[in-house]
Amino acid sequence: MTRRRFLAHLLAGLGLRLALALFWNGSYDVYTLVRFAGIFQHDGLWALYADGGRVYHFHPVVVVLYAVVLYLFSGLAGLPLQLAVKLPAIAGDLLSAGALRAARPSDGRPFLLFWWNPVSLLTTCYHGNFDSLHTALVLCAALLLARETSGRSAGLAWAGAIVLKKVPALWAPALLASARGWQGRSRLLLWGVLPAGAAFLTALVLAPEPRNVVRAFTYSAGGYEGSWGIVAFARLVSQASSALRPYDAAAPAAILAASLLLVPLFRRIPPWRAVLLQILAFYLLAAGFGLQYLAWGLPFLALAGPRLALPFSAAATLHLSLAYVQGASKAFLHGLRFPGNVWNDVHAAALTRVATVATSEGWDRLLLGTAAVLWLAILWTSIAAARPEPEGGPLSVRA
């Protein structure tokens, strides 16, 4: 792909992201972040950290980042709230796009597969949150590991990802197995764990209730709703959901065990592909997970090529679209609006027609069905990604 074509796609995709972020109000995460920004702006940092367990659950360190971003861009720069709150997520997409371009400068397919992926557009421009940003840093860490022997730059990128959201710590087996030699692994740990640990201790010191910080950082990787992932697949087959509850507690152990079993494979493949396999294992084994978690695998799947990226993206787009229609309907019925959003009347006109249906039990069953289809697509993707590739195939190339 020529530089001119790359810039044309980049600007067009950025314009689309800004337009969609401006149009959609967003998920409950967006409303929560705006509330945090209001507390920060009116009462200061200490009041923000004293705002109960929800702040700690919502990633203690990054709450401050988002509060400052909203204060600067919606207050001083005058951007609409529904756009300003999604700027970090859009920045994450831009970082991933640049990293993919740098990894394959002569092959534009990875960039295009990521940049125009409907899942990326939905999770960034509707859902908000910062999953695309920490994913971009994990991608940079994996690509840097393939190029350097010291592990320092990769470690710093990994540390930034952990500070944004604790889940990148789960990718330690893939990253450490991909590091070159004991020196590379030790430096990766040093530069990755120490900055992240410093951020954790900062949150611990600032917090009026330190135990809530600890609880937030040790929150179960098994999920919180049990409505996606393996539990959704099981519930579609049987309504005896009480029999599935023990798996909520067992899921983190299952994810860790699968990661350790994959270590011999991680050592034989490029770092980005090792991280991809670990993310796919999480998707398969988690008892439940947030919808925005589907953004984690997108840039890595783009590097793998259309054979793996397209089936996952199609199933995820279907599921996300239905889930976000339901989420927007529930927000509408509860009277949630963004002040100053000129599109609120358009939302109301559309959601008045669909809200009753989208919040019905039948829609819930439809969501379970599409979640099960997505789980099967992830299973196929995992098997395909774990198979040895012919020499020179997209999965066998070190980026």
Side-chain angles (χ1 to χ4, degrees):
M1 174 183 284
T2 64
R3 181 182 177 84
R4 181 174 294 181
R5 278 194 64 198
F6 169 73
L7 289 176
H9 279 284
L10 190 72
L11 291 175
L14 178 59
L16 178 61
R17 281 164 168 79
L18 292 173
L20 291 175
L22 188 64
F23 174 77
W24 284 323
N25 283 332
S27 68
Y28 283 108
D29 288 357
V30 172
Y31 290 98
T32 303
L33 288 165
V34 170
R35 185 177 68 83
F36 290 157
I39 296 170
F40 174 80
Q41 183 174 354
H42 292 101
D43 301 315
L45 178 63
W46 184 256
L48 181 60
Y49 270 94
D51 189 44
R54 284 181 296 179
V55 171
Y56 305 114
H57 171 70
F58 211 84
H59 316 294
V61 178
V62 184
V63 166
V64 181
L65 166 65
Y66 266 79
V68 171
V69 166
L70 286 187
Y71 173 69
L72 290 176
F73 288 99
S74 65
L76 300 182
L79 294 181
L81 275 173
Q82 72 275 12
L83 172 60
V85 74
K86 298 163 190 168
L87 289 179
I90 294 173
D93 277 4
L94 284 169
L95 181 57
S96 286
L100 292 171
R101 166 69 173 175
R104 302 277 179 81
S106 60
D107 184 2
R109 288 176 299 176
F111 161 70
L112 294 173
L113 280 170
F114 170 77
W115 194 235
W116 296 110
N117 195 314
V119 181
S120 174
L121 294 172
L122 285 166
T123 53
T124 294
C125 305
Y126 177 84
H127 199 110
N129 213 311
F130 39 87
D131 292 78
S132 63
L133 185 53
H134 82 70
T135 296
L137 289 170
V138 174
L139 174 67
C140 290
L143 294 176
L144 286 167
L145 273 179
R147 296 182 177 184
E148 65 172 18
T149 57
S150 68
R152 180 173 62 181
S153 299
L156 287 173
W158 185 31
I162 297 171
V163 168
L164 287 173
K165 199 165 189 175
K166 56 195 172 292
V167 71
L170 294 175
W171 315 146
L175 293 172
L176 290 172
S178 300
R180 299 178 183 178
W182 285 106
Q183 185 179 22
R185 295 186 187 100
S186 61
R187 289 189 176 180
L188 179 66
L189 275 175
L190 176 68
W191 291 100
V193 173
L194 285 184
F200 171 81
L201 290 175
T202 301
L204 203 64
V205 170
L206 288 174
E209 299 180 41
R211 63 182 178 180
N212 286 337
V213 177
V214 176
R215 184 178 65 199
F217 274 82
T218 57
Y219 187 62
S220 170
Y224 48 86
E225 294 187 43
S227 51
W228 331 108
I230 194 170
V231 173
F233 185 78
R235 282 183 179 167
L236 189 68
V237 177
S238 172
Q239 290 298 306
S241 57
S242 60
L244 301 171
R245 288 177 184 169
Y247 188 74
D248 289 346
I255 293 167
L256 177 61
S259 300
L260 295 177
L261 288 173
L262 287 169
V263 165
L265 178 59
F266 292 159
R267 291 172 177 164
R268 301 195 302 269
I269 58 179
W272 63 265
R273 184 183 168 195
V275 175
L276 170 61
L277 283 173
Q278 196 153 35
I279 292 172
L280 292 172
F282 178 95
Y283 288 159
L284 282 177
L285 297 173
F289 50 83
L291 292 167
Q292 75 275 19
Y293 294 9
L294 293 171
W296 298 352
L298 295 182
F300 303 96
L301 284 166
L303 277 171
R307 185 172 66 89
L308 269 65
L310 293 181
F312 172 90
S313 299
T317 300
L318 173 63
H319 182 62
L320 281 178
S321 300
L322 295 173
Y324 286 152
V325 168
Q326 184 180 78
S329 298
K330 289 180 177 179
F332 171 72
L333 294 175
H334 284 89
L336 292 177
R337 304 286 191 278
F338 263 109
N341 188 350
V342 297
W343 298 103
N344 278 332
D345 290 342
V346 176
H347 298 159
L351 293 173
T352 298
R353 298 184 178 93
V354 303
T356 304
V357 176
T359 55
S360 66
E361 185 177 342
W363 198 275
D364 288 338
R365 294 289 295 171
L366 182 61
L367 275 177
L368 280 178
T370 57
V373 171
L374 176 59
W375 191 87
L376 290 173
I378 293 169
L379 176 62
W380 179 88
T381 306
S382 303
I383 295 171
R387 287 175 179 165
E389 284 284 310
E391 190 66 29
L395 292 181
S396 66
V397 177
R398 292 187 73 88

